[in-house]
Every structure is written in C-alpha cells, then in structure tokens.
Amino acid sequence: MAKLSTAELIDAFKELTLLELSDFVKEFEETFDVTAAAPAAVVAAAPGAAAPAAAEEQDEFDVVLESAGDKKIQVIKVVREVVSGLGLKEAKELVESAPKALLEKVDKEAAEAAKEKLEAAGAKIAIK
C-alpha cells in the first residue's frame, strides 16, 4: 500500500460525509486504542494565589437532539436545513441515533435559531 501524504489524507476526508467521518474516527479510536477528544486543561493554582474572579461567559454552544418526537419526518427535513451537507439518509440516521449533537461550537444566535426550528417540527432539543 502506498503511503499517503497529509495533504492527500485531508483531501480524502473532505470527500466524506459527517457520518462517514464519524464512523472513521470511531474505528480509528478502536484500532489504535486512543481517543480523539481533546484532553481537559488542568489548572493548578500556585499556593496563595486567588481563584479566578468570575468564569468567562460561554460563547460557544452545542445543539443536541434529545428525541425526534412524533413527527420524525418533519424533524428530518429540518435537520437537513440546519446541518449543512447532509443527505436524506444521513439526516435520517442522525435523527434515529438521538440523543446526538447536531451542531457543535456555534454562537448563541445560531443555536437558538436551530432550536426554534427543530422544536417547531416536534423535536426535543437541548443547548449545552
């Protein structure tokens, strides 16, 4: 097997759908016994140092589909609108695998707009 360069790998990943890429990451994690999640930052305070005065306000949100509700077909249609690049099959699989994050690290306005659309279609949504 020919060795692929980093640029060739990136080009190959660009052609995958989000679900195919997700499946790849799971398989990669299982094969190499690693995790793709970023490690949590460890903050150690120096002796005598004061704790941070206030936590920063959250500016990135995740929109999580808790359940599709009774109108699954309507929810699938709205998921295709909200999540760019999804085909009908991918949107259906995403809805059926609830609870699942639909959008990650979006601003508050985009998260609220997506939540309104999806709840209007009958889905149960959580913003984290």
Side-chain angles (χ1 to χ4, degrees):
M1 183 173 147
K3 185 174 179 180
L4 298 175
S5 71
T6 303
E8 292 169 329
L9 282 171
I10 296 296
D11 289 339
F13 291 140
K14 286 180 182 177
E15 295 177 14
L16 297 176
T17 65
L18 291 175
L19 291 175
E20 291 170 334
L21 191 54
S22 174
D23 290 340
F24 169 78
V25 170
K26 288 176 190 172
E27 183 69 27
F28 186 89
E29 289 174 339
E30 290 172 8
T31 301
F32 295 104
D33 194 30
V34 295
T35 180
V42 177
V43 179
E56 291 183 32
E57 185 176 331
Q58 183 177 353
D59 60 352
E60 292 182 339
F61 299 88
D62 295 342
V63 178
V64 179
L65 174 67
E66 296 293 329
S67 73
D70 296 333
K71 302 177 182 177
K72 189 162 82 172
I73 293 173
Q74 294 294 15
V75 173
I76 292 170
K77 289 179 182 179
V78 176
V79 166
R80 288 188 66 202
E81 288 177 30
V82 172
V83 183
S84 63
L86 285 185
L88 183 59
K89 180 181 176 188
E90 290 88 2
K92 180 179 182 273
E93 289 172 354
L94 192 61
V95 169
E96 289 175 346
S97 67
K100 191 79 166 178
L102 298 177
L103 298 173
E104 295 178 339
K105 297 184 180 180
V106 296
D107 62 25
K108 187 172 184 171
E109 293 80 23
E112 289 294 331
K115 180 180 178 182
E116 285 180 28
K117 285 182 182 179
L118 289 160
E119 285 182 342
K124 291 183 183 174
I125 301 297
I127 295 181
K128 298 180 180 180

